[in-house]
Amino acid sequence: MVINMAANASEAELQHVIERIQECGFQPHITRGAERVIVAAVGAGGSRSALEALKAAPGVEDVVPIAHPFKLVSRQTRPERTRVMVGEVCIGGEEVVVMAGPCSVESREQILATARGVKAAGATMLRGGAYKPRTSPYDFQGLGLEALQYLREAREATGLPVVTEVMSTEDIPLISEYADMLQVGARNMQNYALLRQLAKSRKPVLLKRGPSASVKEWLLAAEYLLSGGNQNVVLCERGIKTFETEMRNTFDLAAVALARELSHLPVVADPSHGTGRRDLIQPASRAAVAIGADGLIIEVHPCPERALSDGAQSLDLNEFAKMMRSLTAPLRPLAALAEVGS
Ligand code: PEP
Ligand code: MN
């Protein structure tokens, strides 16, 4: 249930509502908007009818059920869009945030060269995997702590905040020391032990959509983070499994718009994993921005043919710079794209 306070409700009236919600067996979550305060009463097992009776309490405008199973993630509990700060970078504001870097951190030289190159092209955050979720146990698994040290050095050299994946609860403290944002990979979207632990952390989380997850399941995964106390959540669409075989995944662009409609959380798009194809990164990025994505996360490697993971979907530094220029070219005519140069 959502309790919408009247615009002129007093602090004492708000406190009374909060106490009543607790007495009814729910947890109150307060959102202070520009004009009014909204209190979401969430939890299981409480008395709904007692909550409905709060309509009669002083300072309450109305009490309405939350239409979706994801409560705190829903725009009903927070009509204004959430902005997530990662260092100085604001995700969910006016600017499209571009996170760029290699799939995996492979060496000091590789990550430093990539960080400098993507920064020069206009990226605002650095990505790079230190702990890699690989489909095969025989594939490169990431450099771990060594990679985290290189990422820190790259951040110091460029000022770009770093996002990197955390695969297990035991790695959270160490990775949190080095990274500015923690990525929950697609394969871990429904790892509830991991989500619960990340909820207790204040670090911003980039929550990727699982390859077979519905939008509802994705938003419910985000609900674990918000209900556990971490409001700094950014959703990431990275493609889903379909019958299509020419692309690694099917980049579900409409889900970017839908997630932004259903939720106040920022949504970024990952055309690299979404398509799996270097030739599609530019058009897919432009489409993602056009449909409303708050940001992009793009794999870039100084020499994609030598990449230890995801080379086929990685741009080199020139291609990335060209893609960045293309983001501001008009949607039509396509001929305008030729002007962004190669
Ligand atoms: C990645 O970002 O390199 C990655 C493994 O992504 P995903 O979890 O979306 O597959
Ligand atoms: Mn990758």
Side-chain angles (χ1 to χ4, degrees), residues 103-104 127 132 248 273 299 309-310 313:
C103 178
S104 304
R127 65 147 288 150
K132 294 303 302 177
R248 184 175 176 189
H273 295 86
E299 289 186 337
S309 59
D310 287 351
Q313 66 192 36

Side-chain angles (χ1 to χ4, degrees), residues 17-296:
V17 165
I18 292 169
E19 280 161 27
R20 283 294 298 137
I21 290 172
Q22 286 163 336
E23 283 166 17
C24 295
F26 295 92
Q27 291 94 49
H29 290 262
I30 301 125
T31 305
R32 291 177 190 270
E35 280 171 16
R36 63 182 64 238
V37 177
I38 295 174
V39 191
V42 298
S47 161
R48 276 173 71 97
S49 54
L51 273 186
E52 273 163 22
L54 277 176
K55 271 183 191 157
V60 173
E61 191 167 276
D62 58 9
V63 178
V64 284
I66 304 176
H68 299 288
F70 41 88
K71 310 288 180 195
L72 304 177
V73 160
S74 160
R75 277 183 83 182
Q76 240 183 308
T77 47
R78 193 183 165 98
E80 290 154 38
R81 298 218 67 81
T82 288
R83 292 171 175 220
V84 173
M85 295 303 297
V86 183
E88 309 266 279
V89 175
C90 172
I91 309 178
E94 301 301 312
E95 302 286 320
V96 172
V97 171
V98 180
M99 313 169 184
C103 178
S104 304
V105 177
E106 298 167 4
S107 69
R108 181 173 177 273
E109 294 67 34
Q110 175 240 21
I111 192 67
L112 280 170
T114 312
R116 291 195 173 104
V118 298
K119 161 119 188 197
T124 37
M125 282 183 63
L126 178 65
R127 65 147 288 150
Y131 297 82
K132 294 303 302 177
R134 301 309 301 280
T135 304
S136 163
Y138 306 116
D139 287 340
F140 178 62
Q141 303 287 311
L143 294 181
L145 174 60
E146 191 183 341
L148 294 176
Q149 288 162 342
Y150 298 150
L151 281 168
R152 174 182 278 174
E153 197 178 335
R155 178 185 45 201
E156 278 160 13
T158 59
L160 297 177
V162 163
V163 55
T164 196
E165 177 161 353
V166 53
M167 291 201 295
S168 113
T169 50
E170 72 210 28
D171 295 334
I172 295 175
L174 179 70
I175 299 179
S176 298
E177 267 181 51
Y178 287 86
D180 302 286
M181 183 178 217
L182 304 178
Q183 174 175 326
V184 175
R187 295 162 182 79
N188 267 317
M189 187 204 84
Q190 287 179 312
N191 180 340
Y192 299 117
L194 183 62
L195 296 175
R196 280 185 199 285
Q197 213 49 44
L198 289 169
K200 293 189 196 148
S201 143
R202 287 290 103 126
K203 280 271 175 190
V205 174
L206 182 69
L207 179 63
K208 290 202 155 193
R209 179 182 179 186
S212 311
S214 65
V215 169
K216 192 196 279 181
E217 287 164 336
W218 184 26
L219 297 182
L220 278 168
E223 186 79 11
Y224 272 84
L225 296 167
L226 269 67
S227 65
N230 192 344
Q231 313 298 313
N232 299 315
V233 176
V234 176
L235 301 165
C236 176
E237 161 59 37
R238 49 77 73 204
I240 51 172
K241 293 272 181 223
T242 68
F243 50 79
E244 172 53 49
T245 54
E246 294 298 316
M247 293 177 284
R248 184 175 176 189
N249 290 293
T250 296
F251 195 29
D252 189 4
L253 276 175
V256 172
L258 179 60
R260 290 183 89 259
E261 201 170 291
L262 295 173
S263 171
H264 52 85
L265 297 173
V267 182
V268 309
D270 175 348
S272 307
H273 295 86
T275 66
R277 293 174 56 137
R278 178 185 306 122
D279 57 330
L280 296 180
I281 306 301
Q282 177 176 296
S285 298
R286 281 164 50 78
V289 172
I291 210 164
D294 296 289
L296 298 167

